[in-house]
Amino acid sequence: MIAIGSDHGGYDLKESIKKYFNEKGIEYKDFGTFSNESVDYPDFALKVAEAVAGGECDRGILLCGTGVGISIAANKVPGIRAAHVSDVFSARYSKEHNNANVLCMGGRVVGPGLAIMIVDEWLNAKFQGGRHQKRLDKITDIEKKYSK
Ligand code: RB5
């Protein structure tokens, strides 16, 4: 199950990705927002990040205007590795090397055609483990160092 969420800046792109998921029979849970009305991106980052970190969903997709704010917010939740991506190459390696469990894009940056290629690449990529796991463990150590 994929968690998906956005603010108003990412709303149209969220709807395009959902349409693609509906056509492909890919299961998702939509955490909002549900219109173009102005909202605050951290609220939706938190919903999706908690769904992924808590195990309700396997991974998440977050969209805001640039993809920047919503990725910063999602990465504050322990266990979240949110990758802000605008190209297919980074999408693949964000999974293969970084085991990104949340994919972030900018609805005012990436068009729906490219966004769907990015989503496909990320969904089909496999984490390679090995030396990359050691690096992720170091990221977890940073999280632990600063958690209260
Ligand atoms: C909202 O106007 C905009 O700031 C937001 O969508 C996002 O781009 C923040 O990083």
Side-chain angles (χ1 to χ4, degrees):
M1 176 73 75
I2 300 169
I4 191 164
S6 75
D7 74 353
H8 52 292
Y11 173 73
D12 289 343
L13 187 55
K14 174 166 72 68
E15 295 308 298
S16 298
I17 294 169
K18 280 169 54 186
K19 182 169 177 284
Y20 176 70
F21 285 165
N22 289 336
E23 286 163 7
K24 289 281 179 185
I26 296 171
E27 286 195 324
Y28 61 84
K29 182 170 178 184
D30 186 353
F31 287 84
T33 187
F34 298 107
S35 77
N36 292 111
E37 191 181 323
S38 184
V39 290
D40 298 331
Y41 58 80
D43 298 336
F44 300 90
L46 183 62
K47 288 175 199 283
V48 166
E50 285 187 337
V52 174
E56 182 191 353
C57 294
D58 308 308
R59 46 169 104 195
I61 296 176
L62 282 168
L63 305 318
C64 67
T66 59
V68 174
I70 212 153
S71 61
I72 292 172
N75 276 316
K76 298 298 179 190
V77 175
I80 292 301
R81 291 176 301 279
H84 176 210
V85 168
S86 306
D87 67 278
V88 173
F89 182 89
S90 302
R92 180 194 294 188
Y93 285 96
S94 74
K95 187 66 191 172
E96 289 194 356
H97 288 190
N98 313 119
N99 201 14
N101 50 13
V102 174
L103 178 73
C104 303
M105 292 181 285
R108 297 172 183 153
V109 180
V110 178
L114 176 57
I116 284 160
M117 290 178 76
I118 287 171
V119 167
D120 257 344
E121 194 74 16
W122 180 67
L123 289 178
N124 291 324
K126 299 271 176 287
F127 178 50
Q128 290 179 347
R131 69 187 190 281
H132 304 296
Q133 183 58 57
K134 185 184 75 169
R135 293 161 185 165
L136 297 189
D137 291 344
K138 289 189 176 193
I139 294 174
T140 304
D141 289 345
I142 296 170
E143 256 177 16
K144 284 183 187 151
K145 181 176 176 182
Y146 288 97
S147 65
K148 287 176 192 158

